[in-house]
Amino acid sequence: MNQTIQTTGWNFLKTANALTSVTLETLLDWQRRFGELYTINMGPLPGFQAVADLEMVDTILVKERARFKKAAMYDGLALMTGRGLVTNEGAHWKKQRRLANPAFRREYLDDVFALMMEEVDASMDAIAAREGEVVHWEAEATALAMNVVVKVLIGSTLEGDTERFSAAAQLGLAHAMRLWKDPFFKYTQHLSGAKRRFDAENAFLGELIDRFIRERKATGNAGKRDILSMFMTAVDEDTGEPMPDQQLRDEIITMFLGGHETSAHTLAWGMLRLRDHPEVMAKVRAEVEAVTEGAPLSREHLRALNYTTMVVNEMLRIDAAVWTIARTNLEPVRFPNGLEFPANTQFMIPIYAIQRNPKYWPRPDAFEPERFADGLPKGALKHSFMPFGAGERICIGRNFAMMQLVAIVASLLRRFDVEVLSSSASYEAAITLAPTSHIDIRVRCL
Ligand code: HEM
């Protein structure tokens, strides 16, 4: 088939700069100008096919998934996560995913709900103690998401290391993404000292994880049902051997990174959205009161919080924390629309732009939780909402994330009248969409 695909133009320096510095605005602009399929020209580096066409997305992630692997975007991330679940491939990935799945099943989440709520309540108490003061919400949300993930998945606490850990994680994720978005960074990282800083932070993260593993080896896994014990007691079905230490480390760091930045950023951006919607805050509060009748939040309550869940879904739609994913085809591919691409084409699936596409979402830039009143999009529009990805590589932690996000939004708004002081924040489109300035709030206890 004769295919004409628009491109971002010959000036790849301009393209790379726009993609690196004003990523989100650029993605929306390109989508407006070029539609749901276009070529991002990266000059000397392989370019990308940006794909926001939902049928093509389905081909890549679901129907023809065996022909695709994760694209070079994940190479930088793999410097931190090695062969952990996000960056692993093939039969080894499948084996590891099978091992990890039980830790994310509904029954397990029911079990860990109380542990999670301990952290949520502790965070709310700390915020209450600062009534009337300015609170940096993005930092609170990060610490809370971090504490929850560490407690629930590793059965431990970070103690004094929370801030250092999340700063190291943020620096690492930004560095990893820049290696992909910026054609020169591979070279300039050595001159600017960025590589040295990245290596140092990465080493810090690795040492912290090693400490958890060492401590667990010393205390043993008896009575533990967390992900660390599942990985540590798992035996390879072919060799009968336990998981090698390096693989254990890769899986745990993956869970740390995947499990806290995403949820924290969703909460951070979500707060800015709530600023303009006091009526949404009031509706959440009313729902929580009606469902719980003043009792502490339970897992059953969470399931009944329909409106609060709609609010969280709208937060995940409008400010997609994982703003893009990417794949490369292992062999030539022909899409149902007749378009063909040679092997080793890089496909970028810009989740952020898809979830803001006016063809899929009326008034895409408006924060309207009611759009989820009938549930998530279905049928041909299914992938118009894909904050957790799609297909077999869909986020393993999505139910955990939803449980956590709904519980935090509900807990915060039932206890406090929240005044959102910041009206905007700068961002870094790292692997996740990180705020780089404060999102300030002030609370009044109710
Ligand atoms: C708002 C919260 C979250 C968002 C938006 C999110 C988003 C995503 C996305 C888009 C993917 C797919 C990546 C791809 O296809 O290339 C993914 C994969 C993954 N996520 Fe999440 N995630 C969230 C929370 C979590 C949590 C809480 C955990 C763990 C505790 C987690 C662990 C993972 C892992 C391990 C994978 C790789 C799965 C695989 O390939 O088998 N995520 N996530």
Side-chain angles (χ1 to χ4, degrees):
M1 172 175 170
N2 190 9
Q3 52 193 59
T4 320
I5 298 174
Q6 297 206 65
T7 121
T8 51
W10 60 270
N11 190 342
F12 72 90
L13 290 177
K14 197 169 144 201
T15 295
N17 185 43
L19 198 54
T20 306
S21 57
V22 280
T23 313
L24 303 178
E25 294 81 343
T26 301
L27 285 180
L28 293 183
D29 180 48
W30 285 340
Q31 179 164 266
R32 258 189 308 272
R33 284 161 55 202
F34 310 132
E36 285 68 48
L37 174 68
Y38 55 89
T39 304
I40 301 177
N41 174 17
M42 295 296 267
L45 286 186
F48 320 118
Q49 296 299 328
V51 178
D53 176 280
L54 302 183
E55 196 184 33
M56 291 179 76
V57 168
D58 195 60
T59 302
I60 297 171
L61 296 180
V62 185
K63 293 215 175 75
E64 301 283 344
R65 62 178 185 269
R67 293 169 183 236
F68 294 84
K69 66 176 177 96
K70 296 231 168 169
M73 181 184 113
Y74 301 85
D75 292 353
L77 185 61
L79 296 174
M80 304 171 80
T81 61
R83 292 212 295 164
L85 272 182
V86 173
T87 37
N88 205 347
E89 290 289 353
H92 192 233
W93 165 77
K94 210 166 236 163
K95 201 185 268 185
Q96 293 298 115
R97 173 99 186 198
R98 262 206 309 274
L99 283 179
N101 274 336
F104 294 92
R105 293 226 172 92
R106 202 172 284 275
E107 315 83 71
Y108 179 68
L109 295 184
D110 286 347
D111 281 0
V112 297
F113 175 79
L115 280 181
M116 180 193 80
M117 285 310 293
E118 277 173 24
E119 293 301 323
V120 175
D121 290 339
S123 166
M124 296 302 138
D125 289 346
I127 293 174
R130 295 166 65 193
E131 182 176 18
E133 294 173 24
V134 174
V135 172
H136 300 324
W137 170 245
E138 83 297 337
E140 282 303 322
T142 302
L144 173 54
M146 181 89 253
N147 290 339
V148 168
V149 112
V150 173
K151 186 139 192 199
V152 169
L153 298 180
I154 320 289
S156 192
T157 58
L158 275 177
E159 288 149 16
D161 285 324
T162 314
E163 261 177 48
R164 176 81 209 278
F165 184 93
S166 92
Q170 204 141 315
L171 184 137
L173 294 177
H175 190 95
M177 182 51 101
R178 197 151 171 217
L179 282 169
W180 187 62
K181 284 195 300 188
D182 178 345
F184 303 107
F185 191 56
K186 207 165 39 170
Y187 312 104
T188 58
Q189 62 170 340
H190 298 283
L191 305 173
S192 64
K195 171 84 168 72
R196 200 169 24 80
R197 280 194 296 279
F198 172 73
D199 287 344
E201 297 303 287
N202 204 8
F204 165 77
L205 294 176
E207 279 156 25
L208 199 67
I209 305 296
D210 285 343
R211 194 181 87 201
F212 284 126
I213 298 176
R214 259 197 325 274
E215 283 172 7
R216 180 60 65 85
K217 281 191 169 159
T219 58
N221 283 303
K224 303 275 188 200
R225 282 192 57 208
D226 53 28
I227 191 140
L228 184 56
S229 68
M230 278 181 205
F231 280 138
M232 282 177 76
T233 50
V235 178
D236 188 298
E237 39 196 38
D238 303 322
T239 64
E241 295 290 321
M243 194 180 293
D245 277 359
Q246 181 60 47
Q247 186 65 32
L248 197 56
R249 190 190 214 224
D250 291 348
E251 295 299 1
I252 299 302
I253 188 126
T254 297
M255 293 295 167
F256 267 37
L257 295 177
H260 95 283
E261 292 275 319
T262 44
S263 299
H265 299 337
T266 303
L267 289 166
W269 297 116
M271 186 58 81
L272 280 181
R273 298 290 167 184
L274 291 180
R275 179 185 205 267
D276 301 325
H277 294 280
E279 80 289 356
V280 172
M281 295 204 244
K283 266 182 96 166
V284 168
R285 194 168 292 130
E287 182 182 64
V288 177
E289 286 324 306
V291 167
T292 63
E293 296 175 330
L297 209 55
S298 71
R299 187 90 165 101
E300 288 65 42
H301 292 145
L302 277 196
R303 293 196 186 100
L305 291 177
N306 294 332
Y307 182 74
T308 312
T309 305
M310 285 155 57
V311 170
V312 168
N313 279 331
E314 181 66 340
M315 287 175 176
L316 289 163
R317 180 195 71 82
I318 201 162
D319 297 302
V322 176
W323 59 276
T324 191
I325 56 175
R327 298 291 189 269
T328 300
N329 52 333
L330 299 157
E331 49 190 273
V333 61
R334 186 182 163 90
F335 286 90
N337 58 12
L339 292 177
E340 291 174 22
F341 294 88
N344 297 320
T345 304
Q346 287 201 81
F347 295 94
M348 172 185 182
I349 302 174
I351 297 177
Y352 182 85
I354 290 175
Q355 297 186 161
R356 295 283 198 102
N357 190 317
K359 290 188 185 152
Y360 313 141
W361 297 98
R363 302 169 304 286
D365 301 328
F367 186 76
E368 295 176 1
E370 280 73 15
R371 60 172 95 240
F372 288 100
D374 297 328
L376 305 181
K378 293 176 193 67
L381 280 177
K382 191 169 81 182
H383 299 313
S384 64
F385 181 70
M386 50 175 302
F388 298 111
E392 65 178 1
R393 303 300 300 255
I394 195 167
C395 177
I396 198 170
R398 63 197 184 284
N399 294 329
F400 178 69
M402 285 306 292
M403 173 173 91
Q404 179 184 4
L405 292 172
V406 173
I408 294 173
V409 170
S411 301
L412 184 80
L413 294 179
R414 80 184 302 191
R415 270 184 79 168
F416 306 112
D417 178 30
V418 182
E419 186 188 357
V420 186
L421 303 170
S422 308
S423 57
S424 64
S426 48
Y427 69 86
E428 162 100 54
I431 300 284
T432 57
L433 202 55
T436 50
S437 58
H438 291 310
I439 295 174
D440 288 337
I441 60 170
R442 188 162 39 213
V443 304
R444 189 173 60 78
C445 297
L446 293 172

